[in-house]
Amino acid sequence: MAPYESDDATDAAQDRDLRSGPRKAARYVVPVAVVGVAAATIGLVPALADSGDPDLPKITAQQLIEKVAKSDAQQLSGTVKISTDLGLPNLGGLENSLMSGAARGGHGDSSPADPKSRLTELVTGAHTLRVAVDGPDRQKLSLMEKGAEYSLIHNGKDVWGYDSQSNEVYHGTSAGSGKEHRAEPPATPKDFADQALKSVDDTTSVTVDGTARVAGRDAYKLLIRPRQSGSTVGAVSIAVDARTGQPLKFTLTPASGGAAVVDVGFTQVSFAEPAARTFDFTPPKGTKVTEQKKQPEARHHAPGSGEDFAKGMEGYEVLGKGWTSIAAFDTGAKGGLPGGSRGGVFGGFLGSFGDKVSGKFGKGTVFSTRLVNALITDDGKVYAGTVTKGALVKAANDAK
């Protein structure tokens, strides 16, 4: 059962209730679109919280998690600040090009207005988003850029993407109504909070960490920490609206310290019904319209453990549990990372970002970010998760 901890350490009865409390409330599933591993890591946005902590009635962690689980804002609009700090080297925009290409699945005829291409931009840099929601069948997200704007609109069965810079439009259809078919990507704190709460189990500590003012609203702060050593996750903090239970800000800090790896929050939010015209869209005259050729692939949530990384891969194995679980699978590619004449310029370039390691498993290369690490061995095995380099090497050794 999830160890929802009371702030009052002397209240043993309450503590027992929290430990056996409604983990089921944290097991609701709200899909989170993600392009690659890095889309789970939205970085630091300074000074989102207002000054002055509000004086709110005392609440337990269990009660606060239940409040989040029951929150279901059918109407909202606001501005979200989002940025990424994975600790990756500056590749001069190459990383965006590579991830955009991967999102297109190798199809060269993809429109620059296709969401699978444009929303990969959220994995690096700082961004401002405007979001609006009116029930499960109408959402709008606008990515504000310098001198340009990209909008993704879901209205009924239609999904529109409009890129003002290229003056191109993408048109598709949603698979149906309801949350499982919502068109927007992970753009609000709730998207990330839902996924974090799904990861809560007996390897997790959950407490209430005071109050805050976020986007002009009173909020409680929920603090989630791994109990296990070896995870790259230090803590997850979720600011929860005191009235509605809607998450207003989500912050993930790494165990290594420094700036947050994940921080996404409202700077302005309203729970009033957006104007109906917000979701109206007609392609401007003269724009090129690209029609969707097939239904979108099944959407995956942001990875929070080794098992999340492995989902969808045939023959994968999950080693360990909780925050230190590791996905292991065999690529079948012997010889490790291509290098030298075998790998060409790209192989040498990619290899320069990895750390060579060895052990009972043999030799391999570890690729690291501030959150996600992956070991590729010379015999074609892959070990990946939100764990330290040492944890990956140990897993590879233990597997021999």
Side-chain angles (χ1 to χ4, degrees), residues 227-282:
R227 293 181 182 275
Q228 303 161 299
S229 61
S231 173
T232 54
V233 177
V236 172
S237 178
I238 304 170
V240 180
D241 185 75
R243 185 173 66 85
T244 67
Q246 187 79 6
L248 299 175
K249 185 179 179 183
F250 176 95
T251 305
L252 187 155
T253 53
S256 59
V261 175
V262 177
D263 190 298
V264 51
F266 284 103
T267 57
Q268 180 275 327
V269 65
S270 169
F271 294 101
E273 181 180 356
R277 64 179 180 275
T278 302
F279 310 99
D280 292 339
F281 181 79
T282 301

Side-chain angles (χ1 to χ4, degrees), residues 329-366:
F329 56 96
D330 191 344
T331 65
K334 305 298 181 182
L337 186 72
S341 59
R342 185 165 60 92
V345 175
F346 182 75
F349 171 78
L350 184 60
S352 67
F353 293 112
D355 295 327
K356 301 298 183 182
V357 293
S358 60
K360 289 193 302 181
F361 69 88
K363 296 181 179 180
T365 305
V366 173

Side-chain angles (χ1 to χ4, degrees), residues 185-197:
T188 70
K190 182 171 174 59
D191 292 330
F192 293 95
D194 286 340
Q195 187 56 40
L197 293 176

Side-chain angles (χ1 to χ4, degrees), residues 74-106:
Q74 292 295 305
Q75 288 88 27
L76 69 81
S77 59
T79 303
V80 176
K81 290 288 188 180
I82 196 169
S83 66
T84 304
D85 185 6
L86 280 171
L88 293 171
N90 185 348
L91 304 181
L94 176 60
E95 68 276 20
N96 277 346
S97 298
L98 292 173
M99 294 191 73
S100 294
R104 289 192 296 267

Side-chain angles (χ1 to χ4, degrees), residues 3-369:
Y4 306 127
E5 298 175 350
S6 169
D7 293 323
D8 184 355
T10 64
D11 191 345
Q14 183 185 60
D15 184 68
R16 285 193 302 271
D17 289 342
L18 293 174
R19 289 180 180 275
S20 61
R23 180 177 175 186
K24 186 176 181 181
R27 289 294 178 183
Y28 48 82
V29 178
V30 176
V32 178
V34 61
V35 183
V37 169
T41 56
I42 304 301
L44 177 66
V45 181
L48 280 179
D50 298 338
S51 59
D53 296 338
D55 184 14
L56 297 173
K58 189 174 180 180
I59 191 171
T60 67
Q62 175 184 334
Q63 291 168 336
L64 190 53
I65 283 187
E66 289 176 331
K67 194 176 185 72
V68 175
K70 293 175 182 177
S71 69
D72 188 19
Q74 292 295 305
Q75 288 88 27
L76 69 81
S77 59
T79 303
V80 176
K81 290 288 188 180
I82 196 169
S83 66
T84 304
D85 185 6
L86 280 171
L88 293 171
N90 185 348
L91 304 181
L94 176 60
E95 68 276 20
N96 277 346
S97 298
L98 292 173
M99 294 191 73
S100 294
R104 289 192 296 267
H107 299 293
D109 57 355
S110 178
S111 165
D114 187 334
K116 294 191 297 294
S117 300
R118 290 304 308 275
L119 297 176
T120 59
E121 295 178 19
L122 299 182
V123 306
T124 61
H127 304 278
T128 298
L129 305 176
R130 290 178 183 166
V131 298
V133 177
D134 184 11
D137 294 322
R138 297 203 294 181
Q139 302 95 33
K140 181 177 181 179
L141 178 149
S142 295
L143 173 60
M144 313 305 295
E145 300 173 314
K146 190 174 182 179
E149 177 180 331
Y150 174 76
S151 291
L152 177 62
I153 305 105
H154 173 211
N155 193 345
K157 65 180 180 63
D158 292 307
V159 177
W160 298 95
Y162 174 57
D163 177 36
S164 67
Q165 187 170 31
S166 64
N167 198 32
E168 291 201 26
V169 171
Y170 169 89
H171 177 239
T173 56
S174 77
S177 61
K179 286 185 178 180
E180 69 275 16
H181 300 295
R182 287 169 63 173
E184 79 274 16
T188 70
K190 182 171 174 59
D191 292 330
F192 293 95
D194 286 340
Q195 187 56 40
L197 293 176
K198 283 179 62 214
S199 299
V200 169
D201 58 17
D202 59 4
T203 68
T204 312
S205 167
V206 185
T207 58
V208 178
D209 189 35
T211 64
R213 289 276 294 175
V214 179
R217 299 183 66 88
D218 292 349
Y220 293 99
K221 293 190 295 183
L222 188 68
L223 186 64
I224 302 172
R225 291 180 181 273
R227 293 181 182 275
Q228 303 161 299
S229 61
S231 173
T232 54
V233 177
V236 172
S237 178
I238 304 170
V240 180
D241 185 75
R243 185 173 66 85
T244 67
Q246 187 79 6
L248 299 175
K249 185 179 179 183
F250 176 95
T251 305
L252 187 155
T253 53
S256 59
V261 175
V262 177
D263 190 298
V264 51
F266 284 103
T267 57
Q268 180 275 327
V269 65
S270 169
F271 294 101
E273 181 180 356
R277 64 179 180 275
T278 302
F279 310 99
D280 292 339
F281 181 79
T282 301
K285 187 176 181 179
T287 57
K288 177 183 176 182
V289 179
T290 300
E291 292 288 340
Q292 172 186 300
K293 291 187 176 180
K294 62 180 181 179
Q295 289 295 320
E297 295 179 0
R299 295 164 58 183
H300 303 284
H301 59 255
S305 65
E307 185 172 2
D308 291 317
F309 291 107
K311 286 179 179 177
M313 301 175 184
E314 291 186 8
Y316 77 87
E317 179 183 6
V318 178
L319 308 176
K321 64 177 291 188
W323 297 84
T324 56
S325 59
I326 295 171
F329 56 96
D330 191 344
T331 65
K334 305 298 181 182
L337 186 72
S341 59
R342 185 165 60 92
V345 175
F346 182 75
F349 171 78
L350 184 60
S352 67
F353 293 112
D355 295 327
K356 301 298 183 182
V357 293
S358 60
K360 289 193 302 181
F361 69 88
K363 296 181 179 180
T365 305
V366 173
F367 295 93
S368 301
T369 71

